[in-house]
Structures are given as structure tokens and as C-alpha cells.
Amino acid sequence: MRTGEPLPAVGEVLAALATGLWHWNTATGLVTVDSEAARLLGLPPEQATLSQAQVRSRLHPVDWNEISGVIQLAVAEGTLGEARVRIMDERGRVIRVGRSRFHASFDRDKRSYEVTGSLQEVTEPAPGTSAGRTAVTGDWRRSREAFLLDAGRALAEARSTAEVLRVAAGLSMPGFSPDGLAVFGVTGDRLTIIGHHGHQPGDEGPFTHMALETDYPAAEVVRTGRAVYLSSPEKYKDRYPVTWPLAAPFNRQSWAFLPLTVAGRTMGAWMAAFTYPVAFTPDERSVLTTVARMLAQALSRAEATESARELTDGLQRSMLPKLGPEIPGMSVAARYVPTGGGLQVGGDWYDMIPLPSGRFALVIGDVQGHDVRAAGLMGQLRIALRAYASEGHRPDAVLSRASRFLHGMTLGSLDDDPSELRFATCLYVEVDPTTGLLDIARAGHPDPAIRMSDGTVLSRPTAGGLPLGIDPDADYPTTRITLEPGETMLICTDGLIETGGHDLETGWKRIRTILEDHDGDLEELADGLVQAVHGPSSHHTTGPLADRREDDIAVLLLRRLGDGRDGGSAHGHGTAAVPLTIRRTMLSVAQAEPERVAVARQQLRELLHDWACDDQVDSAVLLLSETLTNVLVHTDADALVLAEVRGEPGGRRLRVEVTDSSDDLPHKRRPGELASSGRGLLLIELLAQAWGVDPRGEGKSTWFELYESVDGSDVA
């Protein structure tokens, strides 16, 4: 070209360089191509206006998706975009590889992109060469996609900030992996270091509490919300001369600072530093941007989880009591484990209440539900129970008043939402530490269990009423039992029993085994119960917590110390009591409750669970049934059963006493062959080693004894 001649048209120059032009408006969905771009796409070499579908059919599906992501990245960073694409024919075969560079803008009103770019053909590297693992080959794309899937899965599963940082530190990016990472947060107008990897302890000092106005890459990223890429120390020094001396000692060659953005808010910045030069191609920037987005989401979730956990901890500390002062002759231990998920709050609770009489009360309960409302009702109900108990009311009166209180609280919400009606189960035990007497009132709650001094475990059936809040006029009868020296009472919510697919029966068998096998102090027993049901756990407030649970649980254990031989304190931090050679159970059977005869039989079988001769156990159960039935049929009085086992295994004695308030003494009769009754005393005389009837002032006691026989030879 001679001097002074006009320059050729841009289109002529581009055609000479085999470079086409194209323009895409996503609002209209139309793509305009010049003749060279049309030729490269395998179309007739003439200017044309195509639909997105027509252009998409000419590009490899993976590359089309790639272009969409690069356009968004270019707009976000305010840079030119670049992508390599495989161009296909009508049969889906790759006919050439092209490279496109483009400028994109975003119209916020129309929510659309306008993109103008160039397209030219490039030479595809030969398979198997080192250049074969470039950004356009399937190997690099597949490894990048696999990396992003793995990284997304790992970050999604991270449940705390520490776990998120550990995952980020372990990410191995395809083809380029940073050896130094740092996550910056924002507190007020200053940067903070949330965590870092690849640095020595103390290296973060100069960057902690740095003002956001500082000329530092992470501060600029937080201010602007746009990424900063520094591919060499020279670029870092030229752009940030003030803070370059802080970065120079780490001997890194390239840096990427990306915004951590969630819901349009920049919550911090992520730094990836490299010991080798990185060009930060569009593909590499795309990977880093995607990881930064996932990292921001993971940190946001972790922050929300930790805030919720902190709220949960505060709620639990305010709602759950301490066990109070030491109680002479008694040991108490408790555990509360909230359900997994959500705020980890629920309706289970326990309490220990000093009473005006010098006694104390143990309370355990479960408000329906595992949500914040259940926790709120639990807190109010616990306060109400404390107030009624502190007024000196008996257990039945305390539960009656609590039921009316809960019914009144939930009744008003029914007009707005009938599902808001809530009820609560509860067990209230008034304890006399001097005598071991326990007065128990129960509202739809599981019965207590007693572990005797020799390890025998019995469930203690108690009279009960409806759950609290259902009927404001419900009655709650009281059952009295005695906790003997060396014995332990367990009361718990159903979460301890029914976890792991168990029902009340199979779950109780599991808990019973744990109680029988335990050999340690009360605190160890409480830990053992929770850990055996829910697996390894960490301590939290008053006891261990598992990370994932099906239901809340609350556990209370009360042990009566045995004649100073325990060596433990009032809260159970000592050795277990020396086993005694006596076990005892007591049960009342009212005239209006003949079904409790079956309960008494079951209690006796459990008392004799390790008796040497099964025939003797059957005989004892039969004689108890006959004696109880005699009281219920031939008198108008209620019966009290006391069964006691004394001695060492192999030579023990069973004594069963049935006491009633009637003065009518039983007498033997000679029933006819077809008679349906009259054989009770005959059976006692035949099967028992000893028996008798003793007057007791007002009433009498009918008793019998059996002596343990290993082979059954002493059975009468």
C-alpha cells in the first residue's frame, strides 16, 4: 500500500484474515453473522440473520453451554470474553475448531445480553501431544467438570466454617492448583481473616483488621464486587504498590482475588495464590469464579447453621436447670439431647425442684412437637410446674393444675389454627431423701424403671391419667414406691426408648440390657444410656449430644446411696454401691383395677428373672395370682403386694405377702369336681415350702415362701 492511499474497509481486512463477525441479542433471540462467519459455521458464505436454535445446532452442546457461562463472567468482570468452540455439520461431526473473542453488555431493564464478537478457525492439536490437554479438548473439559461436581458436593456437605475451609484447602483444580488460600470476611469497615491455608501461623497478622479503603486486592474486591487477577509479581507491584511489600515475602508468582457473593451481597473475598505463573485464561477464570460462588454459598450456610446453633445453645441454657445442691443420701444425674436438624430445639425437658417440706421433686416431660413453638410451650409449662410445686401441692394436684394451664394456653390458638393444639406427657416424682419414699403422678408418660442393687431391672407400672392439656378436669392418681439403698430409678422421655426403629417393647429391652450391664457411677450410666442409643457424641450443656437424632430425649437418674458404702457424692461422682443380697418389689391392686393382677404377675417374673428353676417361677406366679384373686373376689378391700428375694444365687428365698384391710380370714374348702373356685389355699399348701395368714390389726397378710432349687427337686 502506497503512502497516502486510504485504508481498506474493516470487512475486507477481516475477510483477508479469515475472520468473521457476529452479533447476538438475547432479547430477540437473533444472531447476525457476516459472510465469513457464516462460512466458518458451515453455512452458505453470505450475511444472514439466524435464530439461536440454528446457531446452537452448529456448535457442540458442551461448547454452547460454555459460551453462556463465559458471557456472564465477562460481564461480571468487565473484560473481553474468549471461547473455543467445535463446529459441527448436520450429522453431528466436528468439521473445524474455532476461536471467538467478544464483548458483552447487559441491559438491566430488558434483562438481556448484547454480544459482538469475532470468529476464526484454529488448528486442533494432534491427539496424544502435550498440547492435547488445552482448554478446547475433551480431557480438560471432563476433568474440570468432574472437579466442579466433586467440589460442589464436598462444599454442600460441609456443616461448619471450619469444615468449609478444610474442603477449600483440599481442592485440587485441574491443571492449576493454588498452594496458598485465604478467606477474608468483613466486620464493620474492616477486613478479617476467616481462615487460611499454605501459610505459617502468624502470617495473617498484617492482613487482619485491614481497613476496606486500603489499597489491597481483597479490599478492592469487597468494595467493588469484581474479581482481581494478577498474573505476575510485576503486575501486583504496579497495581498495588502500597501493599506489595506485605505480599512479596511469600514468593508467589500469581494471585486471584474473587468476591464471595450471596444474594447480591459481597460477604468477603477469596484469595488463591500460585508459586508458578498463571495466565488466568477465560477457562481458568471460569473455574475460579464457579468455586468462589460455591464457597460463598457454603460459608453462608455454615454461618447460618452456627448462628442457629448459638441460638439453640442460649435457649437450652436458659430453659434447662442445674441439678441444684447436693442431697444427703441421694445421687442425681440428668441428660438432655435435642433432635437433629433445624434449631435443634424441642419439647423435652427435665427439672429438679426443692419443696417447702424439705423434700424435692423430679419432673420429666415431653411437649408435642420438635419446633420452636414446642420449646416455648415447654419453657412456660416448666415454670408453671415449678410454681405449683413450690406452693406445696401434692403430685396429683400439681399435674391437675398444669393440665388446666396448658389447656388454657393452647385453647386460644384453635380459632386461628386447629393444628396449634398441643399436649404434653409428664412424670412427676416427689422424693423423700430420708426414707426413700417416691410419690409418683403420671400424665401419659412412660413408667419409671428401677435398677436394684444386684443389677436386676424392673419396670414400675404406676397409675396415670391423660397427657396434660387434653382434659382440664383430668385426675392424676398417685402411686407410692420405695427406693431401697443401692437402687437407681430411671425416668426418661420416649425418644430414648424408640430411637432406631424400636417400639416401646423392643426399645425398653435394649435400655434394660444397658442398665443391667452397667458397672460405674451415675454420671457414667447417664453417658452410657445416651451413647448406646445414639452413638459417639460430644458433651453439650448437661450431657453428651449426638450429631444426628430422630427424637429429643431427656433422662433423669436417681440413686439412693447404700449405708455409706458407695463412696460417691450426692451427684454420683463415685463408685457404684456394693450389691446387696436383697431385691424387693411392691404393687397395689385396687378392687376397680383387676387388670393389675396381670401387672403383678409380670413384676414377679421380672423379679425372678435369674431364678434357677423355671418351674418354681411358674409356681410363684400361680400362687400370687390365686392369692390376689382371693382378696378381690371374697373381700371389698384393695390388695398390696410385697415380693422379696433374699440370699445368694442358688440358695435364695422368695417371700410374697398380699396384704388387705379385711378381717375375714381365708379358709380351706373342699371343692367338688365341677367347682370353678375354692382351690386357692389348696394350691398354696401344695406348691409353697411355707405359707401362712397373719392378722395385721386392721386387716391381714397372706404370705408364702419358695426356696431356690437348682434342679427343682425341692418343689413341693
Side-chain angles (χ1 to χ4, degrees):
M1 181 181 299
R2 295 184 179 89
T3 303
E5 291 185 357
L7 292 172
V10 174
E12 296 176 5
V13 174
L14 293 177
L17 297 175
T19 301
L21 293 177
W22 57 274
H23 176 79
W24 179 18
N25 188 332
T26 62
T28 62
L30 298 178
V31 181
T32 301
V33 296
D34 66 3
S35 58
E36 184 63 20
R39 183 189 69 81
L40 292 173
L41 289 174
L43 300 172
E46 56 188 28
Q47 182 173 329
T49 300
L50 310 173
S51 67
Q52 289 180 187
Q54 288 176 297
V55 176
R56 186 171 186 169
S57 67
R58 291 287 173 172
L59 303 181
H60 192 283
V62 173
D63 299 344
W64 175 265
N65 295 332
E66 180 81 14
I67 289 176
S68 300
V70 173
I71 289 173
Q72 295 177 23
L73 179 63
V75 170
E77 297 182 355
T79 60
L80 292 178
E82 180 177 338
R84 296 195 181 193
V85 294
R86 287 162 288 182
I87 299 171
M88 324 272 296
D89 61 13
E90 293 85 351
R91 298 182 180 181
R93 298 174 299 182
V94 177
I95 57 175
R96 63 177 57 90
V97 175
R99 180 179 64 186
S100 179
R101 301 191 70 186
F102 48 83
H103 174 269
S105 62
F106 181 68
D107 189 327
R108 295 185 179 276
D109 296 331
K110 297 181 180 179
R111 308 289 297 175
S112 63
Y113 292 92
E114 281 206 32
V115 190
T116 301
S118 63
L119 178 65
Q120 61 182 170
E121 185 173 2
V122 296
T123 303
E124 175 77 342
T129 65
S130 59
R133 295 187 179 272
T134 65
V136 298
T137 65
D139 288 344
W140 194 91
R141 293 180 188 275
R142 282 192 294 270
S143 54
R144 184 192 64 179
E145 291 163 2
F147 160 73
L148 291 177
L149 285 173
D150 291 341
R153 185 182 303 111
L155 288 170
E157 293 174 354
R159 299 171 60 193
S160 67
T161 300
E163 289 181 15
V164 172
L165 295 175
R166 281 198 298 270
V167 171
L171 295 178
S172 179
M173 300 181 189
F176 68 111
S177 293
D179 74 308
L181 300 173
V183 176
F184 298 87
V186 180
T187 302
D189 61 349
R190 295 187 175 274
L191 281 180
T192 59
I193 299 288
I194 297 176
H196 61 87
H197 174 72
H199 307 87
Q200 297 299 320
D203 285 349
E204 72 278 6
F207 307 94
T208 303
H209 303 299
M210 180 182 288
L212 286 179
E213 297 304 318
T214 305
D215 187 29
Y216 179 66
E220 179 179 322
V221 167
V222 172
R223 291 196 308 267
T224 64
R226 299 174 64 173
V228 171
Y229 297 100
L230 304 169
S231 56
S232 68
E234 291 74 23
K235 288 187 176 182
Y236 196 131
K237 184 177 181 180
D238 290 344
R239 188 166 176 180
Y240 303 98
V242 175
T243 54
W244 164 247
L246 299 178
F250 295 101
N251 297 318
R252 301 275 163 60
Q253 298 299 309
S254 300
W255 299 260
F257 292 84
L258 297 105
L260 299 175
T261 305
V262 177
R265 179 179 68 89
T266 301
M267 58 182 291
W270 173 47
M271 182 199 75
F274 302 82
T275 55
Y276 53 88
V278 178
F280 297 119
T281 65
D283 286 317
E284 292 168 342
R285 295 187 183 196
S286 177
V287 171
L288 289 168
T289 301
T290 303
V291 172
R293 290 171 180 168
M294 293 188 296
L295 183 59
Q297 293 288 341
L299 287 170
S300 178
R301 287 193 301 269
E303 181 182 4
T305 299
E306 289 166 352
S307 297
R309 190 168 298 160
E310 185 176 348
L311 173 60
T312 299
D313 291 345
L315 281 173
Q316 290 174 202
R317 291 190 190 99
S318 64
M319 290 181 176
L320 291 179
K322 296 182 179 179
L323 292 181
E326 295 186 351
I327 304 163
M330 291 285 183
S331 171
V332 184
R335 295 291 182 269
Y336 171 67
V337 184
T339 187
L343 287 181
Q344 294 189 339
V345 295
D348 289 23
W349 88 96
Y350 67 85
D351 205 350
M352 178 176 169
I353 308 170
L355 301 177
S357 61
R359 300 181 177 188
F360 67 94
L362 296 179
V363 188
I364 196 164
D366 181 2
V367 176
Q368 177 194 10
H370 307 291
D371 51 19
V372 175
R373 175 165 170 77
L377 286 175
M378 176 267 285
Q380 296 176 75
L381 183 57
R382 173 177 163 256
I383 292 172
L385 279 161
R386 265 190 165 264
Y388 298 140
S390 298
E391 290 174 355
H393 297 293
R394 296 289 296 162
D396 54 342
V398 171
L399 290 192
S400 295
R401 285 166 168 76
S403 183
R404 285 194 291 273
F405 172 79
L406 183 59
H407 182 79
M409 274 202 308
T410 58
L411 189 61
S413 61
L414 293 181
D415 296 336
D416 300 326
D417 185 359
S419 66
E420 288 300 313
L421 178 62
R422 301 290 182 103
F423 61 84
T425 65
C426 184
L427 189 72
Y428 183 98
V429 184
E430 184 175 313
V431 182
D432 185 339
T434 303
T435 63
L437 286 177
L438 310 178
D439 290 324
I440 303 172
R442 187 170 60 87
H445 202 82
D447 286 306
I450 302 295
R451 183 186 190 274
M452 298 181 175
S453 57
D454 67 347
T456 301
V457 178
L458 298 179
S459 173
R460 287 289 195 180
T462 55
L466 293 171
L468 305 178
I470 294 180
D471 180 3
D473 299 319
D475 293 326
Y476 298 96
T478 300
T479 301
R480 172 170 288 185
I481 64 176
T482 301
L483 195 66
E484 300 290 345
E487 293 185 345
T488 301
M489 177 183 69
L490 162 73
I491 56 177
C492 65
T493 54
D494 56 7
L496 182 71
I497 303 173
E498 295 182 317
T499 296
H502 288 272
D503 56 23
L504 283 174
E505 182 178 355
T506 60
W508 161 242
K509 289 181 180 178
R510 175 178 55 172
I511 298 303
R512 177 176 178 170
T513 301
I514 297 170
L515 291 171
E516 289 176 340
D517 294 343
H518 175 74
D519 183 17
D521 67 22
L522 214 57
E523 294 294 335
E524 292 174 351
L525 176 56
D527 287 344
L529 285 167
V530 173
Q531 293 177 8
V533 172
H534 294 290
S537 54
S538 59
H539 275 74
H540 178 87
T541 61
T542 58
L545 282 176
D547 289 331
R548 299 181 181 271
R549 292 164 292 279
E550 301 171 23
D551 195 3
D552 308 336
I553 68 170
V555 179
L556 263 175
L557 295 167
L558 173 69
R559 174 176 294 169
R560 187 179 180 194
L561 305 181
D563 299 332
R565 288 177 291 175
D566 295 54
S569 71
H571 288 296
H573 299 286
T575 58
V578 176
L580 304 176
T581 58
I582 181 174
R583 65 176 73 151
R584 179 186 295 116
T585 184
M586 183 181 295
L587 181 71
S588 61
V589 179
Q591 284 284 333
E593 299 176 316
E595 67 276 3
R596 286 179 64 81
V597 174
V599 175
R601 290 198 296 261
Q602 181 61 29
Q603 286 278 290
L604 185 58
R605 285 194 179 276
E606 292 181 359
L607 194 72
L608 301 176
H609 70 95
D610 58 350
W611 200 259
C613 179
D614 291 338
D615 288 340
Q616 284 188 314
V617 175
D618 293 337
S619 296
V621 171
L622 174 60
L623 297 184
L624 172 63
S625 181
E626 289 292 337
T627 307
L628 273 175
T629 303
N630 187 69
V631 173
L632 297 181
V633 171
H634 298 292
T635 73
D636 295 327
D638 298 337
L640 179 66
V641 178
L642 174 63
E644 183 179 88
V645 176
R646 288 180 176 271
E648 300 297 332
R652 291 174 289 189
R653 182 193 69 179
L654 166 68
R655 181 182 177 90
V656 177
E657 295 184 9
V658 178
T659 304
D660 64 83
S661 59
S662 173
D663 293 327
D664 297 331
L665 299 179
H667 58 278
K668 288 190 293 183
R669 292 184 289 165
R670 299 297 178 183
E673 184 177 346
L674 300 178
S676 59
S677 63
R679 297 184 175 86
L681 292 184
L682 292 178
L683 286 173
I684 293 177
E685 188 174 56
L686 177 65
L687 297 177
Q689 270 87 19
W691 71 281
V693 179
D694 298 334
R696 292 289 180 87
E698 290 186 3
K700 62 183 180 299
S701 173
T702 304
W703 59 272
F704 64 86
E705 292 183 352
L706 292 175
Y707 309 130
E708 187 174 23
S709 172
V710 176
D711 57 5
S713 59
D714 291 336
V715 177

